[in-house]
Amino acid sequence: MKTALITGATEGIGREFVSLFAADSYQLVLVARNEQKLKEICSQTPVPATYYACDLSDLKQAQSLLDSLEQRNMIPDCVVNCAGYGQSGEFTGLSWEQQANMLHLNVETLALFTHSFARQMKQRGSGIIMNVASIAAFTPIPHMAMYAATKAFVKSLSEAVDYEMMDYGVRVMTLCPGVTDTKFYARPGMTRSLLNAPLLHTATAHDVAVYGYRSLLKGKTTAVHGWQNRLSIFLSRFTPRRITVGVSARAASHAQKGAS
Ligand SMILES: NC(=O)c1ccc[n+]([C@@H]2O[C@H](COP(=O)([O-])OP(=O)(O)OC[C@H]3O[C@@H](n4cnc5c(N)ncnc54)[C@H](OP(=O)(O)O)[C@@H]3O)[C@@H](O)[C@H]2O)c1
């Protein structure tokens, strides 16, 4: 039986991935902070499922999860690095601590997991890692500057490592959701008003995960959900950077206004 490890498994896009991998008879290793929810999900899934309740913005906890898997000789066939969050606000208006925490989760732990699992998969000669970035990876976003930068990092790292792994039977895929209706917008400093911002298409977590899963099966390297998102990324290639950044700023400040 194949094994999938999914971070951010309790909510939103990650929770949908749990159902999709379970439907494909993977046994599951689920990771998030909320132990109660993890327990519930494990008891509901029709396949063997275990969980690790840990805070992945704490590198020590992330490393000890890896150590524990290694002790059990467990190298997943598929890893979905989905845990992540965003913050809106001016870069200088948000505290460094708030932003550093996001950097630890969205960047450092994701890079640590990609490094550790890609190495083990390379030795074995097979494996897939799906890193969840965002359409924010394509353009700097004023008022969400750090978040967009973390996602640009995820995309850049994943595409480069995917290329390096080409001859070893290992793939590193990047999934780029657009605006998706999840608890992502319920965090402090975020607001659901971005879900209704002009020019943005809002998707469900289910649709994004199904698209991601299909893209993984098709062997896509980078998968951007939604034709509207793909079109705007395509058009941005022919638009002066300053204008693209300005359009992003308008969308993000729309979200900020709703929050204040
Ligand atoms: N929603 C969007 O519009 C959107 C758009 C583009 C990209 N994305 C990306 O998609 C991914 C999933 O987002 P989502 O919309 O599904 O968000 P979500 O509904 O808020 O779910 C986030 C998941 O990550 C877990 N998580 C958060 N902080 C964690 C931490 N410190 N340690 C361990 N687990 C943690 C949460 O569980 P616990 O709270 O139990 O820890 C939850 O399971 C993120 O990487 C996000 O950046 C989202």
Side-chain angles (χ1 to χ4, degrees):
M1 198 174 201
K2 286 187 175 180
T3 304
L5 180 143
I6 302 169
T7 74
T10 51
E11 294 289 348
I13 300 167
R15 175 67 186 89
E16 294 293 333
F17 273 121
V18 172
S19 303
L20 292 170
F21 278 96
D24 242 356
S25 303
Y26 276 80
Q27 65 176 342
L28 301 171
V29 181
L30 309 182
V31 188
R33 288 166 302 179
N34 188 326
E35 182 161 16
Q36 189 54 38
K37 271 194 193 158
L38 285 165
K39 255 189 205 164
E40 272 169 35
I41 296 169
C42 283
S43 68
Q44 287 161 4
T45 51
V47 289
T50 54
Y51 69 82
Y52 287 86
C54 62
D55 183 347
L56 294 177
S57 64
D58 177 349
L59 271 185
K60 280 190 191 146
Q61 292 189 37
Q63 184 59 59
S64 77
L65 187 159
L66 293 176
D67 294 343
S68 153
L69 289 174
E70 210 168 326
Q71 274 166 18
R72 291 169 55 193
N73 244 340
M74 154 105 60
I75 308 170
D77 299 279
C78 188
V79 172
V80 181
N81 284 312
C82 193
Y85 70 90
Q87 276 171 335
S88 81
E90 267 186 26
F91 181 64
T92 51
L94 295 167
S95 74
W96 176 247
E97 288 69 29
Q98 282 174 302
Q99 304 197 67
N101 194 68
M102 183 171 58
L103 204 54
H104 296 322
L105 177 65
N106 294 11
V107 168
E108 283 181 306
T109 293
L110 181 138
L112 171 69
F113 277 24
T114 302
H115 182 258
S116 175
F117 289 121
R119 268 188 154 186
Q120 297 175 61
M121 289 171 174
K122 179 180 166 187
Q123 265 190 345
R124 183 180 59 194
S126 68
I128 305 174
I129 298 171
M130 184 198 288
N131 286 336
V132 180
S134 165
I135 55 165
F138 291 85
T139 316
I141 306 183
H143 312 291
M144 287 182 89
M146 187 66 116
Y147 175 69
T150 67
K151 294 302 181 179
F153 174 94
V154 171
K155 179 173 171 293
S156 175
L157 179 83
S158 308
E159 288 177 348
V161 179
D162 182 59
Y163 192 89
E164 289 180 4
M165 291 290 118
M166 202 158 38
D167 296 331
Y168 301 111
V170 179
R171 288 173 38 217
V172 183
M173 178 197 155
T174 314
L175 174 63
C176 299
V179 176
T180 310
D181 191 355
T182 66
K183 290 198 172 153
F184 182 88
Y185 297 98
R187 290 189 62 90
M190 295 293 281
T191 163
R192 289 182 60 79
S193 67
L194 189 60
L195 299 171
N196 306 313
L199 302 177
L200 291 176
H201 166 74
T202 299
T204 64
H206 177 76
D207 286 349
V208 171
V210 167
Y211 171 76
Y213 199 75
R214 283 192 188 142
S215 303
L216 182 142
L217 296 179
K218 281 184 191 162
K220 277 196 182 181
T221 301
T222 302
V224 177
H225 178 257
W227 67 265
Q228 298 92 332
N229 295 322
R230 289 193 289 277
L231 179 65
S232 64
I233 288 164
F234 176 75
L235 292 176
S236 72
R237 289 189 200 148
F238 309 101
T239 312
R241 189 77 159 165
R242 196 73 186 161
I243 293 178
T244 316
V245 172
V247 171
S248 305
R250 285 187 69 175
S253 66
H254 188 83
Q256 230 191 329
K257 270 181 219 141
S260 54

